[in-house]
Amino acid sequence: MKRRILLGSAIALGMGLSAGVSMAETPPLEVKDTYRVGFAQMESNNPWRIAETKSFHDTAESCGWELIATDAAGSAAKQVADVDSMIAQGIDVLFLPPREEKPLLPAVMKAKAAGIPTFLVDRSVDEAVAQPGEHFVAFLGSDFIEQGERAADWLSANFSGDKGIIVELEGTTGSSPANDRKKGFDDKILQDDRFEIVASQTGDFARDMGRQVMETLLQAHPEVNVVYAHNDEMAIGAIQALELAGRKPGEDITIVSIDGTRDALQAIIDGKMGVTVESSPFFGPLACDVMKRYAAGEEIPGWVKVEDRVFTIDNAADHIDEAY
Ligand code: AHR
């Protein structure tokens, strides 16, 4: 039954299968000295994305990659077109951080149909339709639900007030980190009856939008005393909006976030942000290692999980020099 649904999904998405590639397996990868590698980045508008792309470039020479890297400038449609172009250029392997869960499904399916093994890095697609070990080799990345839970745990343990009134700044709508960071945090924090989430709105993982959304939500909910942002860029934007409105982040409002950027660690050191749960962008070395193991015929787990740390006032200064 499951197989019929999956085949149906692939056909519905207009994807054929090339001869010799079984529906149930990912395409093999030859052991070679050099590989033509596609890395289809989604956007380059924040330090996290820039650090991730740099990590792939930095890894290329030592891993024998002839790297074709693109930037979809925040457009899922362009990201799909970029993958099309990489397939036409004869890449051996694809590394793809899918901007959103559903719109990037065609890229995954087309790469498989072209006999190209795909590794999803840092974000995933809708796994009800495309599965690791079948449509793509593996997802390399963090546990975004756990990141949200850890942010909630820190807040529960460190909030000293009677009532926590939370505004949530969500990441890109339809992206796996936005979906999962919301679920992890909301489910956990609402088990503590001191807390209420009065507004939850997307800031698209961007600093400017985080600032603008915070300005608007602050007018609607002046009583807010906690901000949970799905990434540091939006948290920094929110801090700017709050300070402009005369609020004192870290004193009269607690800021909780995810990523571990340099600006966030500095905000923690300055007393403006309470916590940031790490989400590492340094995927290049892991991508090289997993790709080579796959080429050698090793069984790769469907999820190669990245372990994250938590940065607070206790350790932010120790890690700021390695931050991006
Ligand atoms: O996919 C990971 C998320 O994407 C990072 O947390 C965010 O900053 C980035 O844009």
Side-chain angles (χ1 to χ4, degrees):
M1 190 58 192
K2 191 177 173 207
R3 171 74 55 242
R4 285 169 64 104
I5 291 167
L6 290 172
L7 195 52
S9 323
I11 290 165
L13 286 161
M15 301 135 191
L17 286 175
S18 66
V21 178
S22 142
M23 184 67 186
E25 294 165 7
T26 48
L29 186 63
E30 249 180 85
V31 176
K32 303 196 287 185
D33 289 340
T34 57
Y35 293 90
R36 183 170 263 221
V37 169
F39 175 61
Q41 182 57 283
M42 66 184 78
E43 57 209 357
S44 301
N45 63 344
N46 68 56
W48 199 101
R49 290 286 142 205
I50 292 165
E52 186 186 45
T53 302
K54 182 173 183 309
S55 179
F56 275 86
H57 281 291
D58 289 350
T59 305
E61 196 181 337
S62 62
C63 200
W65 291 346
E66 182 205 326
L67 191 65
I68 301 175
T70 51
D71 174 2
S75 159
K78 178 167 183 330
Q79 204 178 11
V80 174
D82 287 343
V83 171
D84 281 343
S85 153
M86 288 172 179
I87 293 170
Q89 290 176 68
I91 53 169
D92 298 308
V93 58
L94 172 66
F95 291 106
L96 176 67
R99 189 169 197 274
E100 292 140 57
E101 286 191 346
K102 290 185 196 297
L104 268 296
L105 284 166
V108 172
M109 301 302 193
K110 285 182 194 174
K112 170 160 182 180
I116 297 161
T118 296
F119 296 85
L120 299 184
V121 286
D122 100 65
R123 292 189 190 177
S124 196
V125 289
D126 181 354
E127 293 191 17
V129 180
Q131 281 100 42
E134 184 164 346
H135 302 95
F136 58 94
V137 179
F139 164 60
L140 281 48
S142 295
D143 185 334
F144 296 133
I145 292 184
E146 192 176 79
Q147 289 176 342
E149 289 172 348
R150 293 174 88 185
D153 285 341
W154 183 91
L155 181 60
S156 255
N158 290 277
F159 184 78
S160 53
D162 297 331
K163 183 87 195 134
I165 300 165
I166 303 171
V167 157
E168 180 167 347
L169 299 177
E170 300 172 21
T172 299
T173 304
S175 70
S176 57
N179 293 341
D180 291 353
R181 287 172 185 170
K182 179 165 183 59
K183 178 170 176 39
F185 179 86
D186 291 10
D187 288 354
K188 203 72 190 276
I189 205 65
L190 296 177
Q191 290 169 21
D192 182 336
D193 56 20
R194 290 177 299 161
F195 293 100
E196 182 188 355
I197 300 169
V198 291
S200 185
Q201 205 171 301
T202 184
D204 203 21
F205 282 129
R207 184 181 294 212
D208 267 7
M209 198 162 160
R211 182 177 48 71
Q212 287 162 24
V213 172
M214 191 68 234
E215 277 168 11
T216 307
L217 293 180
L218 196 52
Q219 285 176 9
H221 303 281
E223 74 284 17
V224 59
N225 58 3
V226 178
V227 173
Y228 165 50
H230 289 191
N231 81 343
D232 288 341
E233 281 295 279
M234 293 188 296
I236 298 292
I239 288 173
Q240 291 170 346
L242 289 161
E243 287 182 329
L244 255 161
R247 300 290 302 268
K248 294 198 166 18
E251 290 180 32
D252 63 12
I253 184 156
T254 304
I255 314 292
V256 176
S257 178
I258 294 174
D259 269 356
T261 64
R262 181 180 294 269
D263 285 354
L265 296 191
Q266 190 60 55
I268 291 173
I269 293 165
D270 295 342
K272 296 180 180 182
M273 191 185 285
V275 69
T276 183
V277 179
E278 184 184 32
S279 195
S280 173
F282 301 117
F283 279 96
L286 180 66
C288 172
D289 177 60
V290 175
M291 183 206 84
K292 293 211 158 161
R293 289 197 280 124
Y294 182 68
E298 249 187 66
E299 179 111 357
I300 305 298
W303 181 5
V304 180
K305 188 173 163 180
V306 173
E307 298 300 334
D308 300 312
R309 298 168 289 183
V310 172
F311 300 121
T312 66
I313 195 63
D314 294 334
N315 62 354
D318 299 335
H319 296 288
I320 193 158
D321 288 343
E322 80 210 32
Y324 50 94

Short mmCIF file of all heavy atoms in Angstrom, two decimals, residues 41-43 45-49 52 97-99 121-124 139 142 144 147 171-172 175-178 181 204-206 230-234 258-261 277-281 283 324, ligand 1:
data_model
loop_
_atom_site.label_atom_id
_atom_site.label_comp_id
_atom_site.label_asym_id
_atom_site.label_seq_id
_atom_site.Cartn_x
_atom_site.Cartn_y
_atom_site.Cartn_z
N GLN A 41 22.31 26.13 -2.78
CA GLN A 41 21.94 26.93 -1.59
C GLN A 41 20.63 27.68 -1.85
O GLN A 41 20.32 28.03 -2.98
CB GLN A 41 23.09 27.91 -1.26
CG GLN A 41 22.89 28.77 -0.04
CD GLN A 41 22.63 27.97 1.25
OE1 GLN A 41 21.52 27.47 1.46
NE2 GLN A 41 23.64 27.86 2.10
N MET A 42 19.88 27.91 -0.79
CA MET A 42 18.55 28.54 -0.94
C MET A 42 18.59 30.07 -0.94
O MET A 42 17.78 30.73 -1.56
CB MET A 42 17.62 28.09 0.19
CG MET A 42 18.04 28.55 1.57
SD MET A 42 17.00 27.91 2.88
CE MET A 42 17.63 26.25 3.02
N GLU A 43 19.53 30.66 -0.19
CA GLU A 43 19.63 32.12 -0.07
C GLU A 43 20.94 32.45 0.64
O GLU A 43 21.58 31.55 1.20
CB GLU A 43 18.44 32.70 0.72
CG GLU A 43 18.30 32.11 2.11
CD GLU A 43 16.85 32.09 2.63
OE1 GLU A 43 15.96 32.59 1.94
OE2 GLU A 43 16.64 31.56 3.73
N ASN A 45 21.24 35.52 2.65
CA ASN A 45 20.88 36.78 3.30
C ASN A 45 21.13 36.78 4.80
O ASN A 45 20.61 37.62 5.50
CB ASN A 45 19.41 37.11 3.01
CG ASN A 45 18.48 36.05 3.60
OD1 ASN A 45 18.93 34.96 3.94
ND2 ASN A 45 17.20 36.38 3.74
N ASN A 46 21.87 35.79 5.28
CA ASN A 46 22.17 35.81 6.72
C ASN A 46 23.47 35.05 7.00
O ASN A 46 23.93 34.26 6.17
CB ASN A 46 20.98 35.26 7.53
CG ASN A 46 20.74 33.78 7.30
OD1 ASN A 46 21.64 32.97 7.51
ND2 ASN A 46 19.55 33.40 6.87
N PRO A 47 24.08 35.32 8.15
CA PRO A 47 25.40 34.73 8.45
C PRO A 47 25.37 33.20 8.44
O PRO A 47 26.37 32.56 8.10
CB PRO A 47 25.73 35.24 9.85
CG PRO A 47 24.72 36.25 10.20
CD PRO A 47 23.59 36.19 9.23
N TRP A 48 24.24 32.62 8.83
CA TRP A 48 24.15 31.16 8.89
C TRP A 48 24.33 30.57 7.49
O TRP A 48 25.12 29.64 7.28
CB TRP A 48 22.79 30.75 9.46
CG TRP A 48 22.71 29.36 9.98
CD1 TRP A 48 22.77 28.98 11.29
CD2 TRP A 48 22.55 28.15 9.23
NE1 TRP A 48 22.67 27.61 11.40
CE2 TRP A 48 22.53 27.07 10.14
CE3 TRP A 48 22.44 27.86 7.87
CZ2 TRP A 48 22.39 25.74 9.76
CZ3 TRP A 48 22.31 26.54 7.47
CH2 TRP A 48 22.28 25.50 8.41
N ARG A 49 23.59 31.11 6.52
CA ARG A 49 23.67 30.59 5.14
C ARG A 49 25.07 30.82 4.55
O ARG A 49 25.60 29.96 3.85
CB ARG A 49 22.63 31.29 4.25
CG ARG A 49 21.21 30.92 4.56
CD ARG A 49 20.87 29.54 4.07
NE ARG A 49 20.01 28.88 5.04
CZ ARG A 49 19.90 27.58 5.19
NH1 ARG A 49 20.58 26.75 4.42
NH2 ARG A 49 19.11 27.07 6.09
N GLU A 52 27.40 28.30 5.96
CA GLU A 52 27.18 26.96 5.40
C GLU A 52 27.81 26.83 4.00
O GLU A 52 28.52 25.86 3.70
CB GLU A 52 25.68 26.66 5.33
CG GLU A 52 25.41 25.21 4.89
CD GLU A 52 23.93 24.92 4.67
OE1 GLU A 52 23.24 25.75 4.03
OE2 GLU A 52 23.47 23.86 5.12
N PRO A 97 19.98 21.81 0.60
CA PRO A 97 19.22 22.28 1.75
C PRO A 97 17.87 22.82 1.24
O PRO A 97 17.81 23.95 0.77
CB PRO A 97 20.10 23.42 2.31
CG PRO A 97 20.99 23.85 1.18
CD PRO A 97 20.86 22.87 0.05
N PRO A 98 16.80 22.05 1.31
CA PRO A 98 15.54 22.48 0.70
C PRO A 98 14.90 23.63 1.46
O PRO A 98 14.65 23.51 2.66
CB PRO A 98 14.66 21.23 0.77
CG PRO A 98 15.34 20.27 1.66
CD PRO A 98 16.70 20.75 1.99
N ARG A 99 14.64 24.73 0.77
CA ARG A 99 14.12 25.92 1.46
C ARG A 99 12.81 25.61 2.17
O ARG A 99 12.61 25.98 3.31
CB ARG A 99 13.92 27.07 0.47
CG ARG A 99 13.58 28.38 1.16
CD ARG A 99 13.66 29.56 0.21
NE ARG A 99 13.72 30.80 0.97
CZ ARG A 99 12.64 31.45 1.41
NH1 ARG A 99 11.44 31.01 1.14
NH2 ARG A 99 12.78 32.56 2.12
N VAL A 121 20.83 18.46 3.24
CA VAL A 121 21.62 19.00 4.35
C VAL A 121 20.85 20.11 5.04
O VAL A 121 20.23 20.95 4.41
CB VAL A 121 23.00 19.53 3.90
CG1 VAL A 121 23.94 18.39 3.59
CG2 VAL A 121 22.91 20.45 2.72
N ASP A 122 20.85 20.08 6.31
CA ASP A 122 20.32 21.06 7.29
C ASP A 122 18.80 21.19 7.29
O ASP A 122 18.22 21.44 8.33
CB ASP A 122 21.08 22.39 7.20
CG ASP A 122 20.40 23.51 6.42
OD1 ASP A 122 19.34 23.97 6.83
OD2 ASP A 122 20.99 23.96 5.43
N ARG A 123 18.11 21.06 6.17
CA ARG A 123 16.63 21.03 6.18
C ARG A 123 16.17 19.80 5.41
O ARG A 123 16.89 19.29 4.55
CB ARG A 123 16.03 22.26 5.50
CG ARG A 123 16.28 23.54 6.26
CD ARG A 123 15.48 24.70 5.68
NE ARG A 123 15.91 25.95 6.27
CZ ARG A 123 15.46 27.13 5.94
NH1 ARG A 123 14.54 27.25 4.98
NH2 ARG A 123 15.91 28.22 6.53
N SER A 124 14.94 19.36 5.70
CA SER A 124 14.42 18.20 4.99
C SER A 124 13.21 18.58 4.14
O SER A 124 12.76 19.72 4.14
CB SER A 124 14.05 17.09 5.98
OG SER A 124 13.89 15.86 5.28
N PHE A 139 19.19 12.47 5.40
CA PHE A 139 19.11 13.85 5.87
C PHE A 139 20.23 14.05 6.87
O PHE A 139 20.34 13.30 7.86
CB PHE A 139 17.74 14.11 6.53
CG PHE A 139 17.70 15.36 7.36
CD1 PHE A 139 17.96 16.60 6.80
CD2 PHE A 139 17.41 15.31 8.73
CE1 PHE A 139 17.94 17.77 7.56
CE2 PHE A 139 17.37 16.47 9.50
CZ PHE A 139 17.65 17.69 8.91
N SER A 142 20.25 18.68 12.25
CA SER A 142 19.88 18.73 13.65
C SER A 142 18.48 18.19 13.88
O SER A 142 17.68 18.07 12.95
CB SER A 142 19.90 20.18 14.13
OG SER A 142 21.20 20.71 14.09
N PHE A 144 15.35 19.46 14.99
CA PHE A 144 14.75 20.79 15.20
C PHE A 144 13.68 20.76 16.30
O PHE A 144 13.46 21.76 16.98
CB PHE A 144 14.14 21.30 13.90
CG PHE A 144 15.13 21.53 12.78
CD1 PHE A 144 14.87 21.06 11.50
CD2 PHE A 144 16.31 22.23 12.99
CE1 PHE A 144 15.75 21.28 10.46
CE2 PHE A 144 17.20 22.46 11.96
CZ PHE A 144 16.93 21.97 10.69
N GLN A 147 15.55 21.05 19.44
CA GLN A 147 16.06 22.42 19.64
C GLN A 147 14.97 23.29 20.30
O GLN A 147 15.23 24.04 21.24
CB GLN A 147 16.47 23.05 18.30
CG GLN A 147 17.72 22.44 17.70
CD GLN A 147 18.04 23.01 16.32
OE1 GLN A 147 17.19 23.60 15.66
NE2 GLN A 147 19.28 22.82 15.87
N GLY A 171 10.15 30.86 11.69
CA GLY A 171 10.99 30.87 10.48
C GLY A 171 10.16 30.80 9.21
O GLY A 171 8.93 30.99 9.24
N THR A 172 10.82 30.52 8.11
CA THR A 172 10.16 30.48 6.79
C THR A 172 8.98 29.51 6.81
O THR A 172 9.14 28.32 7.15
CB THR A 172 11.19 30.04 5.73
OG1 THR A 172 12.23 31.03 5.71
CG2 THR A 172 10.56 29.91 4.35
N SER A 175 8.91 25.52 6.02
CA SER A 175 10.26 24.92 6.11
C SER A 175 10.31 23.97 7.31
O SER A 175 9.60 24.17 8.30
CB SER A 175 11.33 26.01 6.27
OG SER A 175 11.24 26.62 7.55
N SER A 176 11.19 22.96 7.21
CA SER A 176 11.23 21.98 8.29
C SER A 176 11.68 22.58 9.63
O SER A 176 11.09 22.24 10.67
CB SER A 176 12.08 20.76 7.90
OG SER A 176 13.38 21.13 7.54
N PRO A 177 12.67 23.50 9.67
CA PRO A 177 13.01 24.05 10.99
C PRO A 177 11.89 24.89 11.59
O PRO A 177 11.70 24.87 12.82
CB PRO A 177 14.27 24.89 10.73
CG PRO A 177 14.36 25.07 9.27
CD PRO A 177 13.63 23.94 8.64
N ALA A 178 11.14 25.62 10.76
CA ALA A 178 10.04 26.42 11.31
C ALA A 178 8.95 25.50 11.87
O ALA A 178 8.44 25.71 12.99
CB ALA A 178 9.46 27.35 10.24
N ARG A 181 10.65 23.54 15.04
CA ARG A 181 11.01 24.37 16.19
C ARG A 181 9.75 24.89 16.87
O ARG A 181 9.73 25.09 18.08
CB ARG A 181 11.92 25.53 15.75
CG ARG A 181 13.32 25.05 15.41
CD ARG A 181 14.19 26.13 14.80
NE ARG A 181 15.48 25.56 14.40
CZ ARG A 181 16.38 26.19 13.67
NH1 ARG A 181 16.17 27.42 13.25
NH2 ARG A 181 17.53 25.59 13.36
N ASP A 204 10.33 34.93 8.57
CA ASP A 204 11.08 34.37 7.43
C ASP A 204 12.57 34.16 7.71
O ASP A 204 13.39 34.21 6.80
CB ASP A 204 10.89 35.27 6.20
CG ASP A 204 11.13 34.52 4.89
OD1 ASP A 204 11.06 33.27 4.89
OD2 ASP A 204 11.42 35.19 3.88
N PHE A 205 12.93 33.93 8.97
CA PHE A 205 14.33 33.71 9.36
C PHE A 205 15.22 34.93 9.08
O PHE A 205 16.44 34.80 9.02
CB PHE A 205 14.94 32.48 8.65
CG PHE A 205 14.54 31.15 9.24
CD1 PHE A 205 14.04 30.13 8.42
CD2 PHE A 205 14.69 30.87 10.59
CE1 PHE A 205 13.70 28.88 8.94
CE2 PHE A 205 14.35 29.62 11.13
CZ PHE A 205 13.86 28.64 10.29
N ALA A 206 14.62 36.12 8.87
CA ALA A 206 15.42 37.29 8.45
C ALA A 206 15.40 38.38 9.52
O ALA A 206 14.37 38.62 10.15
CB ALA A 206 14.89 37.83 7.13
N HIS A 230 12.74 31.68 16.14
CA HIS A 230 13.22 30.42 15.57
C HIS A 230 14.66 30.52 15.06
O HIS A 230 15.23 29.50 14.66
CB HIS A 230 12.32 29.96 14.42
CG HIS A 230 10.97 29.49 14.83
ND1 HIS A 230 10.11 28.85 13.97
CD2 HIS A 230 10.31 29.56 16.03
CE1 HIS A 230 8.97 28.54 14.60
NE2 HIS A 230 9.08 28.97 15.85
N ASN A 231 15.20 31.74 14.96
CA ASN A 231 16.65 31.85 14.70
C ASN A 231 17.18 33.17 15.26
O ASN A 231 16.42 34.07 15.62
CB ASN A 231 17.01 31.64 13.22
CG ASN A 231 16.81 32.86 12.35
OD1 ASN A 231 16.12 33.80 12.72
ND2 ASN A 231 17.41 32.84 11.16
N ASP A 232 18.52 33.23 15.32
CA ASP A 232 19.16 34.39 15.95
C ASP A 232 18.95 35.67 15.16
O ASP A 232 18.87 36.75 15.76
CB ASP A 232 20.67 34.12 16.09
CG ASP A 232 20.99 33.10 17.17
OD1 ASP A 232 20.12 32.86 18.03
OD2 ASP A 232 22.11 32.56 17.15
N GLU A 233 18.92 35.58 13.83
CA GLU A 233 18.75 36.80 13.06
C GLU A 233 17.44 37.50 13.44
O GLU A 233 17.41 38.72 13.62
CB GLU A 233 18.78 36.48 11.55
CG GLU A 233 20.18 36.27 11.00
CD GLU A 233 21.03 37.54 11.07
OE1 GLU A 233 20.89 38.41 10.20
OE2 GLU A 233 21.83 37.65 12.02
N MET A 234 16.37 36.75 13.55
CA MET A 234 15.09 37.37 13.94
C MET A 234 15.16 37.86 15.39
O MET A 234 14.56 38.89 15.73
CB MET A 234 13.94 36.37 13.77
CG MET A 234 13.66 36.01 12.33
SD MET A 234 12.16 35.04 12.14
CE MET A 234 12.56 33.55 13.04
N ILE A 258 17.61 30.38 18.63
CA ILE A 258 18.28 29.17 18.10
C ILE A 258 19.30 29.58 17.03
O ILE A 258 19.00 30.46 16.22
CB ILE A 258 17.23 28.20 17.50
CG1 ILE A 258 16.32 27.67 18.61
CG2 ILE A 258 17.91 27.03 16.75
CD1 ILE A 258 15.17 26.81 18.16
N ASP A 259 20.44 28.96 17.02
CA ASP A 259 21.51 29.04 16.01
C ASP A 259 22.90 29.08 16.63
O ASP A 259 23.69 28.19 16.38
CB ASP A 259 21.39 30.21 15.02
CG ASP A 259 20.61 29.82 13.76
OD1 ASP A 259 20.23 28.63 13.63
OD2 ASP A 259 20.35 30.71 12.93
N GLY A 260 23.19 30.20 17.34
CA GLY A 260 24.55 30.34 17.90
C GLY A 260 25.45 31.21 17.04
O GLY A 260 26.64 30.93 16.89
N THR A 261 24.89 32.28 16.45
CA THR A 261 25.71 33.20 15.66
C THR A 261 26.55 34.08 16.57
O THR A 261 26.29 34.19 17.78
CB THR A 261 24.82 34.13 14.78
OG1 THR A 261 24.04 34.96 15.65
CG2 THR A 261 23.91 33.34 13.86
N VAL A 277 20.08 28.04 21.36
CA VAL A 277 20.37 26.62 21.18
C VAL A 277 21.10 26.48 19.85
O VAL A 277 20.64 26.99 18.83
CB VAL A 277 19.06 25.79 21.16
CG1 VAL A 277 19.37 24.31 20.95
CG2 VAL A 277 18.28 25.99 22.45
N GLU A 278 22.22 25.80 19.87
CA GLU A 278 23.05 25.71 18.66
C GLU A 278 22.35 24.98 17.52
O GLU A 278 21.63 23.99 17.74
CB GLU A 278 24.35 24.98 18.99
CG GLU A 278 25.32 24.94 17.81
CD GLU A 278 26.57 24.12 18.11
OE1 GLU A 278 26.50 23.14 18.89
OE2 GLU A 278 27.62 24.46 17.56
N SER A 279 22.59 25.48 16.29
CA SER A 279 22.23 24.77 15.06
C SER A 279 23.39 25.04 14.13
O SER A 279 23.51 26.13 13.58
CB SER A 279 20.91 25.31 14.51
OG SER A 279 20.37 24.44 13.55
N SER A 280 24.27 24.07 13.98
CA SER A 280 25.53 24.34 13.29
C SER A 280 25.38 24.41 11.77
O SER A 280 24.71 23.57 11.18
CB SER A 280 26.56 23.25 13.62
OG SER A 280 27.72 23.44 12.83
N PRO A 281 26.01 25.41 11.14
CA PRO A 281 25.98 25.48 9.66
C PRO A 281 27.19 24.81 9.00
O PRO A 281 27.29 24.80 7.78
CB PRO A 281 26.04 26.99 9.41
CG PRO A 281 26.85 27.53 10.55
CD PRO A 281 26.65 26.60 11.73
N PHE A 283 28.53 22.18 7.57
CA PHE A 283 28.19 20.86 7.04
C PHE A 283 29.22 20.27 6.08
O PHE A 283 29.12 19.10 5.72
CB PHE A 283 26.83 20.91 6.34
CG PHE A 283 25.67 20.84 7.30
CD1 PHE A 283 25.06 21.99 7.74
CD2 PHE A 283 25.22 19.61 7.77
CE1 PHE A 283 24.00 21.93 8.64
CE2 PHE A 283 24.17 19.53 8.67
CZ PHE A 283 23.55 20.69 9.11
N TYR A 324 30.23 32.57 13.90
CA TYR A 324 30.22 33.11 12.54
C TYR A 324 29.31 34.33 12.45
O TYR A 324 28.50 34.55 13.30
CB TYR A 324 29.73 32.01 11.57
CG TYR A 324 28.45 31.36 12.04
CD1 TYR A 324 27.22 31.80 11.60
CD2 TYR A 324 28.49 30.33 13.00
CE1 TYR A 324 26.05 31.21 12.08
CE2 TYR A 324 27.32 29.74 13.48
CZ TYR A 324 26.10 30.20 13.02
OH TYR A 324 24.95 29.63 13.49
O1 AHR B 1 17.84 25.43 8.30
C1 AHR B 1 18.48 26.00 9.38
C2 AHR B 1 18.03 27.41 9.59
O2 AHR B 1 18.06 28.12 8.40
C3 AHR B 1 18.86 28.22 10.52
O3 AHR B 1 18.51 28.09 11.84
C4 AHR B 1 18.54 29.57 10.03
O4 AHR B 1 19.24 30.59 10.64
C5 AHR B 1 18.70 29.37 8.60
O5 AHR B 1 18.28 30.34 7.74
#
